[in-house]
Amino acid sequence: MSGCDTRYGRDTQDGCGGRAGRKTTALVTGGGSGLGLALARHCAGLGHHVVIAGRDPDRLSQAVRDAQADDLELHALRCDVTDEAAVDRLFAELAETHPPLGLCVNNAGRNSSHRLVGVRQDESGAREVRPYPVSQWEETIKLCLTGVFLVGRRAAAAMVAHDQGGVIVNISSATSSGAYGQSAYAAAKAGVESLTRTWAVELGEYGIRVVAVAPGVLDGEALRRRCASSPRHQEYMSRLRRQTPLGRWCTEQDVAAAVALAADNPSITGTVLEVHAGGIPRRVYE
Ligand SMILES: NC(=O)c1ccc[n+]([C@@H]2O[C@H](COP(=O)([O-])OP(=O)(O)OC[C@H]3O[C@@H](n4cnc5c(N)ncnc54)[C@H](OP(=O)(O)O)[C@@H]3O)[C@@H](O)[C@H]2O)c1
């Protein structure tokens, strides 16, 4: 995402990702807050035409207003990425009223934790065993995997239709190789990485590159929110951080730099860029 990058497409281009005189659109799902907003603002700062998509109109409007106050232009469209019809409407509106799609960042997603079987023991030694709720499994898979599929297929269709190529960046997670309490989330992110490799093979002939970026724990809004609501979680996360090889979390800027590399480098496709300070231990003991 170097200023007005010229390499999203397959042809000679001269500005902001489009053919001569044509700017392209960078779409960021879940762009109204957290990492998505940081990525959207980064793209806007580099001169891209940026559209953020999310479910909450107030959150989106606030993001647009805050950006304006910082001289950044964001455009907002409402969309629940788990709703097929809503995703179809999003892409219809993008095609009608925005420059051709050059970059799609599949960012919308949310972590959810539950052990396969949660076990609690009372003083008498009796065990209460709670299996992973199917509703939680389905909700996480729907958002973190099906949502990426629904948006990715429309993004690819739009890029094939305008015939200028493009880049799809799927946000994965360091948990994709397995992590304690992360059955659904880790499986969904492993699925996202698999989709990335499959789509890269299928879409290369149309000049479309597909890359996954897998952050470790982000020192961002979501972490601050969870730690503020639970001192126990804060303590656990501190222990976890101390066990990463670099002893630090990654920042939104670190991830933005990886997305920029994915977007700019014409030889990167079908791969996962890991931005995780050396990896997160799969389990941390008390
Ligand atoms: N935070 C981390 O430590 C971390 C680490 C590795 C990977 N990641 C990945 O990074 C991405 C962003 O995470 P984050 O920490 O920024 O999460 P976040 O703070 O919870 O933000 C998620 C964003 O996605 C939007 N969203 C949620 N459900 C949606 C839906 N169905 N349709 C459209 N938008 C939806 C939310 O807005 P609305 O609710 O208004 O729709 C929100 O703007 C996710 O894919 C996550 O898995 C995060």
Side-chain angles (χ1 to χ4, degrees):
M1 292 184 294
S2 53
C4 291
D5 174 69
T6 57
R7 282 168 293 181
Y8 291 166
R10 59 166 85 223
D11 297 328
T12 307
Q13 305 179 343
D14 83 335
C16 298
R19 281 194 179 129
R22 295 184 74 191
K23 210 174 184 177
T24 56
T25 293
L27 169 69
V28 183
T29 66
S33 63
L35 175 63
L37 179 56
L39 297 176
R41 289 175 61 105
H42 190 82
C43 289
L46 294 170
H48 295 287
H49 179 94
V50 180
V51 175
I52 54 174
R55 293 171 305 177
D56 181 346
D58 294 337
R59 197 197 293 274
L60 292 171
S61 303
Q62 188 63 49
V64 169
R65 278 197 300 275
D66 290 348
Q68 258 163 7
D70 293 330
D71 272 337
L72 297 170
E73 192 177 340
L74 298 180
H75 304 264
L77 292 175
R78 242 176 117 172
C79 178
D80 179 341
V81 297
T82 67
D83 177 342
E84 184 182 346
V87 173
D88 291 351
R89 282 195 299 277
L90 167 70
F91 278 88
E93 192 161 348
L94 276 178
E96 232 167 72
T97 54
H98 294 271
L101 187 67
L103 174 65
C104 172
V105 184
N106 258 316
N107 164 81
R110 192 158 278 167
N111 187 307
S112 82
S113 295
H114 199 292
R115 282 179 287 163
L116 184 62
V117 281
V119 182
R120 270 212 199 114
Q121 201 154 341
D122 66 21
E123 287 111 43
S124 71
R127 277 183 177 169
E128 184 203 345
V129 179
R130 288 181 308 129
Y132 199 120
V134 173
S135 57
Q136 188 175 335
W137 165 269
E138 285 176 345
E139 200 180 307
T140 303
I141 296 292
K142 198 169 176 190
L143 172 59
C144 294
L145 184 57
T146 308
V148 170
F149 168 76
L150 291 175
V151 172
R153 72 184 185 137
R154 282 289 166 206
M159 289 170 184
V160 170
H162 66 49
D163 199 24
Q164 294 177 50
V167 184
I168 299 173
V169 176
N170 296 324
I171 301 298
S172 180
S173 158
T175 62
S176 66
S177 56
Y180 188 80
Q182 301 286 306
S183 288
Y185 185 71
K189 293 299 190 182
V192 164
E193 293 181 7
S194 175
L195 288 178
T196 299
R197 289 185 279 269
T198 299
W199 294 351
V201 172
E202 291 183 4
L203 299 173
E205 66 183 286
Y206 305 105
I208 300 168
R209 295 185 294 105
V210 190
V211 185
V213 171
V217 176
L218 273 168
D219 194 359
E221 213 175 290
L223 180 68
R224 281 192 289 277
R225 211 168 42 222
R226 284 197 68 191
C227 287
S229 69
S230 161
R232 191 162 166 249
H233 185 71
Q234 182 164 19
E235 167 58 24
Y236 177 80
M237 294 308 284
S238 298
R239 274 203 309 279
L240 191 64
R241 178 171 44 75
R242 284 195 294 272
Q243 291 188 27
T244 62
L246 292 181
R248 72 189 289 274
W249 299 137
C250 56
T251 65
E252 288 163 345
Q253 289 67 37
D254 299 336
V255 181
V259 172
L261 177 68
D264 285 352
N265 191 307
S267 288
I268 296 184
T269 197
T271 194
V272 181
L273 302 179
E274 297 179 328
V275 187
H276 55 31
I280 304 172
R282 290 196 180 153
R283 180 167 185 186
V284 173
Y285 293 89
E286 306 277 324

